[in-house]
Amino acid sequence: NHFQQMPDNFWVGPLFAIALAEAYRISYGWSKPGGGLYTLREGYTPGDLGFDPFGLKPTDAKELMGRQTKELNNGRLAMI
Protein backbone atom coordinates (compact mmCIF):
# COMPACT_ATOMS: atom_id res chain seq x y z
CA ASN A 1 0.00 0.00 0.00
CA HIS A 2 1.58 3.28 -1.10
CA PHE A 3 0.01 5.37 1.64
CA GLN A 4 1.89 3.49 4.37
CA GLN A 5 5.14 3.66 2.41
CA MET A 6 5.25 7.47 2.57
CA PRO A 7 7.57 8.92 5.21
CA ASP A 8 5.78 10.40 8.22
CA ASN A 9 7.36 13.81 7.71
CA PHE A 10 5.98 14.05 4.18
CA TRP A 11 2.48 14.91 5.39
CA VAL A 12 3.62 17.91 7.43
CA GLY A 13 4.17 20.05 4.31
CA PRO A 14 0.87 19.41 2.51
CA LEU A 15 -1.16 19.72 5.72
CA PHE A 16 0.56 23.02 6.56
CA ALA A 17 -0.14 24.37 3.05
CA ILE A 18 -3.80 23.37 3.32
CA ALA A 19 -4.05 25.00 6.75
CA LEU A 20 -2.57 28.24 5.40
CA ALA A 21 -4.99 28.30 2.47
CA GLU A 22 -7.99 27.68 4.73
CA ALA A 23 -6.83 30.31 7.25
CA TYR A 24 -6.59 32.88 4.45
CA ARG A 25 -10.05 31.97 3.15
CA ILE A 26 -11.54 32.25 6.64
CA SER A 27 -9.92 35.62 7.31
CA TYR A 28 -11.03 36.90 3.88
CA GLY A 29 -14.65 35.80 3.95
CA TRP A 30 -15.84 35.54 7.52
CA SER A 31 -16.50 38.48 9.84
CA LYS A 32 -14.58 38.98 13.05
CA PRO A 33 -15.91 37.33 16.22
CA GLY A 34 -18.37 39.47 18.10
CA GLY A 35 -20.35 40.44 15.01
CA GLY A 36 -22.49 37.34 15.28
CA LEU A 37 -21.67 33.70 14.85
CA TYR A 38 -21.16 32.32 11.37
CA THR A 39 -21.66 35.57 9.49
CA LEU A 40 -20.00 36.41 6.19
CA ARG A 41 -18.54 39.81 5.44
CA GLU A 42 -20.62 42.26 3.46
CA GLY A 43 -19.98 41.99 -0.26
CA TYR A 44 -18.31 38.58 -0.01
CA THR A 45 -19.44 35.88 -2.41
CA PRO A 46 -18.46 32.35 -1.36
CA GLY A 47 -15.65 31.11 -3.57
CA ASP A 48 -14.63 34.58 -4.76
CA LEU A 49 -11.23 35.25 -3.22
CA GLY A 50 -10.27 37.95 -5.70
CA PHE A 51 -7.87 35.69 -7.62
CA ASP A 52 -8.07 36.55 -11.31
CA PRO A 53 -4.49 36.94 -12.62
CA PHE A 54 -5.48 36.88 -16.30
CA GLY A 55 -8.53 39.15 -15.99
CA LEU A 56 -11.00 36.52 -17.22
CA LYS A 57 -13.80 37.37 -14.79
CA PRO A 58 -16.60 39.24 -16.59
CA THR A 59 -17.39 42.74 -15.33
CA ASP A 60 -21.04 42.52 -16.38
CA ALA A 61 -23.18 40.94 -13.62
CA LYS A 62 -25.43 39.10 -16.09
CA GLU A 63 -22.48 37.60 -17.95
CA LEU A 64 -20.85 36.60 -14.65
CA MET A 65 -24.05 34.84 -13.55
CA GLY A 66 -24.20 32.98 -16.87
CA ARG A 67 -20.60 31.86 -16.59
CA GLN A 68 -21.11 30.69 -12.99
CA THR A 69 -24.17 28.69 -14.07
CA LYS A 70 -22.22 27.07 -16.90
CA GLU A 71 -19.40 26.18 -14.50
CA LEU A 72 -21.83 24.58 -12.04
CA ASN A 73 -23.60 22.60 -14.76
CA ASN A 74 -20.34 21.34 -16.25
CA GLY A 75 -19.08 20.40 -12.77
CA ARG A 76 -22.23 18.42 -12.11
CA LEU A 77 -21.92 16.69 -15.47
CA ALA A 78 -18.30 15.79 -14.73
CA MET A 79 -19.31 14.23 -11.40
CA ILE A 80 -21.78 11.94 -13.17
Side-chain angles (χ1 to χ4, degrees), residues 2 4 6 12 14 21 29 39 47-50 52 54 57-58 62 74:
H2 295 294
Q4 282 80 15
M6 296 299 296
V12 173
T39 56
D48 184 15
L49 298 177
D52 188 20
F54 299 116
K57 181 179 176 181
K62 188 173 182 177
N74 288 330

Side-chain angles (χ1 to χ4, degrees), residues 21-49:
E22 287 297 315
Y24 174 73
R25 185 188 61 83
I26 289 169
S27 68
Y28 187 85
W30 294 90
S31 64
K32 300 288 184 207
L37 289 176
Y38 308 114
T39 56
L40 293 174
R41 292 183 187 218
E42 290 293 325
Y44 172 71
T45 304
D48 184 15
L49 298 177

Side-chain angles (χ1 to χ4, degrees), residues 72-80:
L72 283 173
N73 289 337
N74 288 330
R76 290 178 183 142
L77 179 63
M79 285 189 282
I80 293 174

